[in-house]
Amino acid sequence: MDGGHGTAQVGGEPAAPGDEDPLPATRTYAGARPRTSDGDLLAALLVRARTGDPRADRAIVDRCTPMVRAVARRYVSNEADVDDVVQDVWLALAENADRITSPAALRAWLVRVTTRASWRLVRRRSRAVPVADVGERPAVEDTEALGT
């Protein structure tokens, strides 16, 4: 930009007025690689992971685990439970990677699977009510002494 007046300079020549780049971050210059969106990168990694590339699997896990953990924490407060949800999500991806119809939608798929795994864990936890052991019931004498 030349002094913030809206004209860009490319290759040493000033650009004509009105030729401003609306997305300067996407402009490529000679010798520079075009920038790839995160969704495009994840889609490419998923395609490679489907062919059995363990480095692609690892890259997806490394890149998306913070997001998966953040989504899980919306529903689950215990860090051990968050770890369980994250593990369930990666297991689901390993089992269902071939079923994801649009590799570009991997991030959305992970959010949906994380949300559902979190809900399942919360439901399981709410159903698990500790039941008193029959041997721990107070004796009749104890209840009479308490006035009950």
Side-chain angles (χ1 to χ4, degrees):
M1 298 299 248
D2 81 334
H5 295 287
T7 57
Q9 188 169 347
V10 179
E13 299 176 18
D19 286 346
E20 297 87 17
D21 187 358
L23 300 171
T26 60
R27 176 172 279 176
T28 58
Y29 299 94
R33 291 180 21 203
R35 292 189 182 180
T36 305
S37 74
D38 194 52
D40 292 340
L41 178 61
L42 287 174
L45 287 170
L46 180 60
V47 169
R48 285 181 31 211
R50 287 175 173 172
T51 64
D53 183 350
R55 291 183 314 166
D57 289 333
R58 183 79 245 163
I60 292 170
V61 170
D62 290 345
R63 193 168 199 83
C64 295
T65 293
M67 184 255 328
V68 169
R69 293 185 73 77
V71 171
R73 281 190 193 106
R74 291 181 197 163
Y75 306 98
V76 180
S77 57
N78 179 330
E79 280 301 308
D81 289 344
V82 170
D83 292 340
D84 289 345
V85 169
V86 170
Q87 184 175 5
D88 289 347
V89 169
W90 296 130
L91 181 61
L93 179 61
E95 292 173 346
N96 299 296
D98 291 335
R99 293 183 183 175
I100 300 172
T101 56
S102 173
L106 176 60
R107 189 173 293 279
W109 186 90
L110 289 171
V111 168
R112 187 172 57 251
V113 170
T114 303
T115 301
R116 290 178 179 167
S118 299
W119 288 346
R120 274 193 306 276
L121 189 132
V122 168
R123 269 196 315 272
R124 272 196 318 258
R125 296 283 192 254
S126 68
R127 289 183 195 152
V129 178
V131 178
D133 186 12
V134 175
E136 295 178 2
R137 293 176 50 190
V140 174
E141 302 84 37
D142 293 339
T143 57
E144 288 174 0
L146 295 172
T148 56

